[in-house]
Amino acid sequence: MADLDLEEIRNQRLAQLQAQNRGNNANNQEVLKEKQQHEDMRNAILSQVLDQSARARLSTLSLGKPEKGKMVENMIVSMAQKGQLMGRLGEKELINILESINKQTSKKSVSVKFDRRRAALDIDDDL
């Protein structure tokens, strides 16, 4: 008797888990579909706003520095949606945008100085 009850409980639990899994898969598919639609919209905007040479330069940038490429793409898409861009951007205009971004995001390098004499003196004291 106990084995039959246990088997029935296992089957019920398995059915519940399978139902949950089907629900999660449906939600995941919806999220992926929304992300794909968003990416398609971004690509459509970029292809309308950028000419072929600028698009190639942006692709090259994205290959080398993906986070910077994404940032530039986001900026161009937002500028296009706000109506700040007049006409298509060429390679020179894209280079100007990239230079302005580099000036804004340039990080100041931190320099670390190491005094070798002092380190050498510390070692001599240990001997």
Side-chain angles (χ1 to χ4, degrees):
M1 262 312 205
D3 289 338
L4 293 176
D5 291 337
L6 184 60
E7 189 65 33
E8 184 179 326
I9 292 171
R10 283 183 183 158
N11 288 335
Q12 288 175 352
R13 182 66 181 145
L14 180 62
Q16 287 176 347
L17 290 173
Q18 287 174 343
Q20 276 182 334
N21 193 18
R22 275 182 253 144
N24 288 341
N25 285 340
N27 288 340
N28 289 341
Q29 289 175 350
E30 289 176 16
V31 169
L32 290 175
K33 190 174 184 179
E34 289 176 11
K35 284 182 181 181
Q36 183 63 38
Q37 288 175 346
H38 183 70
E39 277 298 314
D40 290 342
M41 182 188 73
R42 284 172 47 87
N43 288 332
I45 290 172
L46 288 172
S47 63
Q48 289 175 358
V49 173
L50 299 174
D51 69 0
Q52 188 175 4
S53 60
R55 188 87 167 128
R57 182 172 288 272
L58 185 58
S59 295
T60 304
L61 173 70
S62 295
L63 285 175
K65 297 182 178 181
E67 62 280 345
K68 188 173 242 181
K70 214 43 145 164
M71 183 178 70
V72 172
E73 285 179 3
N74 290 337
M75 191 176 94
I76 291 172
V77 167
S78 69
M79 288 171 66
Q81 288 174 339
K82 292 177 185 175
Q84 295 175 343
L85 298 177
M86 300 298 162
R88 294 180 76 136
L89 290 178
E91 187 173 7
K92 291 181 182 180
E93 291 88 5
L94 182 64
I95 290 172
N96 290 337
I97 291 172
L98 291 172
E99 287 175 351
S100 68
I101 289 174
N102 281 339
K103 287 179 185 175
Q104 292 173 359
T105 60
S106 65
K107 297 178 182 175
K108 294 184 178 181
S109 62
V110 177
S111 62
V112 177
K113 293 184 179 181
F114 182 70
D115 190 1
R116 296 177 115 186
R117 292 180 308 197
R118 183 172 185 127
L121 292 175
D122 291 341
I123 293 172
D124 290 339
D125 290 341
D126 292 337
L127 295 177

